Amino acid sequence: MTTMAGSCTSIEARPTKLSSRHLDRLAVVYIRQSSVYQVQHNQESTRLQYSLEAMARGLGWQAERILVLDEDLATSGASAAGRHDFQRLLAEVALDHVGMILGVEMSRIARSNKDWHQLLELCARFGTLIADLDGLYDPSQYNDRLLLGLKGTMSEAELHILRQRLLQGKLQKARRGELSKPVPSGYLLQASGEVVLDPDESVRAVVRFIFEQFERLGNVRAVLCAMVEQGLQIGVRRRTGADRGGLEWHRPHRGMVANILRNPIYAGAYVYGRRRMDPRRQQPGRRATGRTPLVEPADWQACVRDCLPAYISWEQFERNQLRLKANRTQAASGAVRRGSALLQGLVKCGRCNVRMSVQYASCKKNGRLYPRYVCNDESIHHGGRLCTSISGPCVDRVVTALALSALTPAALEISLRVRTDLEQQRAQQEALWQQRLERARYEAERAARQYRSVEPENRLVARTLERSWEDALRAERELREAYERHSQQAPQHLTAEDLAAIRALATDLPALWNAPTTTVIEHKTVLRLLINHVVVTTENDTSWMDLIVHWVGGHQTYQRIRRPVHNLGKTGYKDALMATIYDLRRKGLTAERIAKQLNADGWITPTQQNQFNGRLIFAMLSRYGAVPRGPKPPPRNAENAWWVADLARELKMPVVTLHGWRRRGLVQARRIEGQWAVTADKVELRRLRRLRREHPLPPSRKASKRM
């Protein structure tokens, strides 16, 4: 046994393992501690590791052939990532530059079996020795390799035991609600560990505004737009730095609003384990990585309710989570959006039992977007054909009429709720504006106090404080001007006449529904409060459609309606309609008069977008076959009236000649139903016949007719 000087005075030296080949190469002393705290407070361990350099000299290495690697101090040994000296050590061994590696114990070199056995494999291949306080090992020998492998396994197991012990203690403390963790906006963590509401009133008001707006709008983006419209910001307390606990105002974004709505602390609950760690996503050396999305409440590791000050009730928190989940999935109706389809997310196909999507088509004439409810689940997922496509306004009109009829008995209650809602919104907006104005005044006064406290001669400081004061005054003035503009545009408090108008509108719900001030989003919100979903089932060969409205509460309403189609053959009344057109045609009616008669009798076009007209009648006769037009009936409501063509036939003269007489004033004519008609009784007919005899056809025209 060989004895060496140093803090560790003995190490078993085996001459059979140590040779001149090893002494010709480097002796590497690897030094590591896991954290900054250990480096700062466990200095004895640091000195012990540095003393290994003396051990290397005692084994025969020259001082210039000893390499000390200590850049991995305050770095965990659980992974090789981020440990530059360990990676350098592997590279030096692979280049056959190292004769021996020295460490106090195996856990200092590696806590991971993957990294440890990689080092052993390289050392065995290139004949590098490993030494610790217990002895000298040659990884190329079976017994030493086995012993080193056991030491590495124990080192990794030790790390697991330590971590498990700490995590269990942390979990037990969390289950009692005593584990301290950062708090979100609207709360303040005191030095004693107690969580209280933020003392700043404006911070609390913004948080309450978010929850109230989400309860009313039901959409994160709508809440964000409301905050942007009001010019609100979210107050956040600093968690680090010299100004820890100071208040900062951040511009809101979608993630901030969603996190506030999803955090159970606002319902007064202490929750631990809302996210899990996924080892596949975790990056070594970065503790915050690898977190999975939020887990279900049933999988939370700890949940202590009613232990913290709350902004909302637990029941409201659960309703918010259900609504957020419905907004994220297509299986539910989803959030209210700005499209014109009133039943977006509520319509289900009666054949496939899946929710129908909404597609919009632009009209070439007016550029408007028209919605359609489409069942394309089979087409999207399996490449099949489109199941059903239904015009949106057709379904919306029927369901809207049913909803308005259901709301009629509750008209007075609706009017009172409208008044309360308007008053609450106005009061809330006014309070937020006053808080912002108060904060702006405070900032201006604070800047003024700072400016007055400096000596006038100290212009280097006075100029900076003067600019800060001017900026604060400018910000206050701009905010006050914005408030004045808002006050002028905002409606005033409801007067007795306003309340009477609201009650009058409530008694006539169709007028309130169709009022220009009622938006599409408000229509959708009302329908979602009443309707669970609507099931539509179409018939392929006809335009008939079965519609079942499933109301909230379980009641159902059945309707059978006609849907718009683009083919007259699918309407189911093609034969009856064409027979009616043929009868009117044989009676001598023109295309325009046939169209008017069909509209008066209640016939509807296949598309249901417009009424019958002459152009459509001509197209139908051209496509499905025409019949000769019979004698044209005389003008209606006009006694002794003749159509110009019929009168010309009666007088045995050309129609062109009769029109010439009309233009020269020889015949008194007027337009009836868009065509020229002449009023001629028996006396007028005798006059016209005499005029016809006095003005026969010219000889040239007679000759041309004889030819």
Side-chain angles (χ1 to χ4, degrees):
M1 177 178 295
T2 303
T3 302
M4 297 178 297
S7 300
C8 297
T9 58
S10 66
I11 183 170
E12 182 183 358
R14 299 180 181 179
T16 56
K17 296 180 181 179
L18 187 61
S19 64
S20 59
R21 175 184 178 277
H22 299 103
L23 296 174
D24 293 338
R25 288 163 176 78
L26 296 174
V28 179
V29 179
Y30 183 79
I31 301 174
R32 186 192 65 80
Q33 284 181 282
S34 299
S35 64
V36 177
Y37 180 86
Q38 293 179 359
V39 175
Q40 293 175 349
H41 298 85
N42 300 347
Q43 296 183 2
E44 189 63 32
S45 175
T46 306
R47 285 192 291 268
L48 177 61
Q49 295 185 68
Y50 276 108
S51 68
L52 294 176
E53 184 178 358
M55 295 181 184
R57 289 196 301 268
L59 289 174
W61 267 273
Q62 300 295 325
E64 62 273 9
R65 300 298 294 170
I66 300 174
L67 176 63
V68 179
L69 300 179
D70 57 0
E71 292 186 6
D72 286 348
L73 284 170
T75 305
S76 173
S79 172
R83 290 201 293 156
H84 302 292
D85 272 354
F86 181 78
Q87 296 174 6
R88 178 184 175 185
L89 176 61
L90 293 176
E92 294 290 346
V93 174
L95 293 173
D96 198 14
H97 293 169
V98 182
M100 185 175 64
I101 302 173
L102 293 92
V104 172
E105 56 187 11
M106 297 305 105
S107 62
R108 297 299 181 185
I109 300 179
R111 287 279 193 178
S112 170
N113 274 333
K114 179 181 74 68
D115 302 331
W116 177 242
H117 284 282
Q118 182 183 8
L119 178 61
L120 291 183
E121 183 67 26
L122 290 175
C123 291
R125 178 160 299 185
F126 292 96
T128 303
L129 302 179
I130 296 178
D132 61 8
L133 298 182
D134 297 326
L136 189 65
Y137 310 96
D138 185 357
S140 63
Q141 296 182 8
Y142 171 75
N143 290 333
D144 290 355
R145 179 71 173 269
L146 178 61
L147 182 57
L148 290 173
L150 289 175
K151 284 192 173 186
T153 302
M154 293 175 62
S155 176
E156 186 178 36
E158 180 186 12
L159 181 64
H160 172 75
I161 293 172
L162 292 174
R163 184 185 290 116
Q164 189 69 15
R165 188 181 302 165
L166 293 174
L167 290 178
Q168 286 300 322
K170 188 177 180 180
L171 181 58
Q172 291 300 324
K173 194 172 183 180
R175 288 172 178 170
R176 298 193 303 268
E178 300 175 358
L179 182 63
S180 178
K181 61 179 184 178
V183 293
S185 175
Y187 288 93
L188 183 64
L189 181 62
Q190 296 183 337
S192 61
E194 182 183 2
V195 178
V196 297
L197 294 179
D198 197 296
D200 195 302
E201 183 180 353
S202 58
V203 176
R204 301 196 303 270
V206 172
V207 174
R208 292 193 176 95
F209 177 85
I210 291 175
F211 285 106
E212 292 173 1
Q213 291 299 315
F214 185 77
E215 187 76 11
R216 187 170 67 90
L217 302 174
N219 186 358
V220 175
R221 187 180 183 279
V223 176
L224 179 61
C225 292
M227 295 185 67
V228 173
E229 182 180 357
Q230 297 292 331
L232 300 180
Q233 293 183 329
I234 298 178
V236 180
R237 296 285 176 178
R238 298 188 186 94
R239 298 179 180 178
T240 58
D243 194 17
R244 182 178 180 182
L247 183 61
E248 292 180 344
W249 291 95
H250 292 185
R251 180 184 178 186
H253 57 78
R254 187 185 184 93
M256 295 176 67
V257 177
N259 289 335
I260 290 176
L261 294 172
R262 288 197 295 254
N263 201 328
I265 191 176
Y266 293 100
Y270 175 91
V271 173
Y272 178 79
R274 296 170 62 218
R275 296 181 185 271
R276 299 293 174 84
M277 298 300 296
D278 188 354
R280 298 170 298 178
R281 301 180 180 179
Q282 194 170 13
Q283 301 178 15
R286 300 182 61 185
R287 300 177 57 184
T289 59
R291 293 189 300 174
T292 61
L294 296 175
V295 300
E296 296 295 331
D299 298 329
W300 290 345
Q301 294 179 336
C303 180
V304 183
R305 292 168 53 180
D306 302 328
C307 67
L308 298 173
Y311 284 87
I312 59 175
S313 64
W314 184 259
E315 291 74 16
Q316 183 179 351
F317 171 76
E318 291 180 334
R319 290 197 304 269
N320 291 346
Q321 305 316 300
L322 292 176
R323 181 169 290 185
L324 287 171
K325 184 177 180 181
N327 294 347
R328 292 192 302 267
T329 59
Q330 295 182 353
S333 59
V336 175
R337 308 191 186 279
R338 296 185 180 274
S340 60
L342 299 183
L343 301 177
Q344 162 255 324
L346 297 178
V347 182
K348 297 178 66 175
C349 177
R351 300 176 184 172
C352 307
N353 196 29
V354 297
R355 298 206 178 254
M356 304 176 71
S357 60
V358 180
Q359 296 180 358
Y360 290 90
S362 176
C363 180
K364 296 182 179 179
K365 294 182 178 180
N366 52 24
R368 293 179 56 187
L369 296 177
Y370 291 93
R372 297 190 66 83
Y373 299 111
V374 181
C375 178
N376 54 2
D377 184 77
E378 179 71 18
S379 174
I380 292 176
H381 295 95
H382 304 286
R385 299 183 60 184
L386 197 69
C387 175
T388 306
S389 178
I390 307 171
S391 174
C394 171
V395 181
D396 292 347
R397 283 194 298 269
V398 176
V399 176
T400 298
L402 294 175
L404 292 178
S405 62
L407 285 174
T408 301
L412 183 58
E413 181 182 355
I414 291 176
S415 67
L416 297 178
R417 290 188 61 182
V418 167
R419 175 193 177 187
T420 304
D421 188 33
L422 291 176
E423 293 292 347
Q424 289 179 352
Q425 291 184 34
R426 186 176 294 110
Q428 185 184 45
Q429 294 178 3
E430 181 66 22
L432 291 172
W433 273 106
Q434 293 300 327
Q435 290 172 1
R436 295 174 61 190
L437 291 171
E438 184 178 354
R439 178 172 295 279
R441 286 194 300 270
Y442 166 75
E443 294 292 341
E445 294 173 358
R446 180 170 176 266
R449 289 195 302 270
Q450 292 177 347
Y451 174 73
R452 295 190 184 101
S453 64
V454 71
E455 296 179 356
E457 294 80 8
N458 191 357
R459 297 306 301 168
L460 295 176
V461 178
R463 281 194 294 267
T464 302
L465 296 178
E466 185 179 5
R467 284 194 296 269
S468 300
W469 187 14
E470 292 175 353
D471 294 340
L473 290 174
R474 187 184 304 107
E476 181 187 8
R477 184 177 65 255
E478 292 175 354
L479 184 61
R480 186 171 297 279
E481 292 174 354
Y483 171 70
E484 293 175 355
R485 290 192 298 268
H486 170 75
S487 300
Q488 294 175 358
Q489 296 174 359
Q492 302 299 323
H493 292 282
L494 294 179
T495 61
E497 292 77 8
D498 297 333
L499 296 178
I502 290 177
R503 289 190 174 92
L505 284 175
T507 58
D508 188 6
L509 283 179
L512 178 61
W513 184 272
N514 298 318
T517 56
T518 307
T519 63
V520 176
I521 294 180
E522 293 170 341
H523 289 167
K524 295 183 179 182
T525 304
V526 172
L527 292 178
R528 276 160 171 71
L529 295 175
L530 300 175
I531 298 172
N532 188 3
H533 62 274
V534 179
V535 179
V536 293
T537 306
T538 60
E539 298 180 4
N540 289 331
D541 299 332
T542 67
S543 61
W544 287 107
M545 177 177 63
D546 295 329
L547 186 144
I548 303 176
V549 181
H550 293 256
W551 305 93
V552 174
H555 184 66
Q556 299 180 7
T557 301
Y558 172 80
Q559 287 282 331
R560 184 173 174 84
I561 61 175
R562 288 189 180 275
R563 62 188 175 98
V565 293
H566 292 280
N567 189 349
L568 182 61
K570 292 185 177 181
T571 58
Y573 54 83
K574 170 191 171 183
D575 296 338
L577 177 62
M578 293 307 301
T580 303
I581 293 176
Y582 290 154
D583 291 342
L584 296 175
R585 189 67 172 171
R586 293 188 183 98
K587 292 179 181 179
L589 271 66
T590 61
E592 287 75 11
R593 295 192 62 182
I594 293 175
K596 291 182 179 180
Q597 186 64 40
L598 293 178
N599 294 329
D601 294 343
W603 291 93
I604 58 176
T605 60
T607 60
Q608 300 182 8
Q609 294 183 0
N610 46 33
Q611 294 183 331
F612 287 98
N613 52 42
R615 183 178 178 182
L616 180 59
I617 297 299
F618 275 122
M620 295 172 64
L621 291 173
S622 175
R623 180 170 184 177
Y624 299 106
V627 295
R629 182 168 68 89
K632 192 174 182 180
R636 297 179 182 178
N637 302 324
E639 187 177 0
N640 299 323
W642 295 74
W643 297 114
V644 172
D646 296 338
L647 182 59
R649 191 180 304 109
E650 177 69 19
L651 298 177
K652 299 179 179 179
M653 60 183 298
V655 178
V656 177
T657 304
L658 188 56
H659 276 293
W661 289 5
R662 174 183 62 79
R663 286 190 294 270
R664 287 182 290 171
L666 300 177
V667 176
Q668 299 298 325
R670 56 174 176 160
R671 297 186 70 86
I672 300 178
E673 297 179 1
Q675 298 183 10
W676 287 104
V678 178
T679 302
D681 53 7
K682 295 181 179 179
V683 177
E684 181 67 13
L685 285 176
R686 286 196 297 269
R687 185 184 73 84
L688 293 176
R689 289 191 181 97
R690 185 172 60 255
L691 186 63
R692 174 75 181 90
R693 290 192 298 269
E694 295 174 357
H695 297 80
L697 286 175
S700 59
R701 297 187 61 181
K702 290 182 180 180
S704 62
K705 278 196 171 187
R706 283 194 294 269
M707 292 177 62

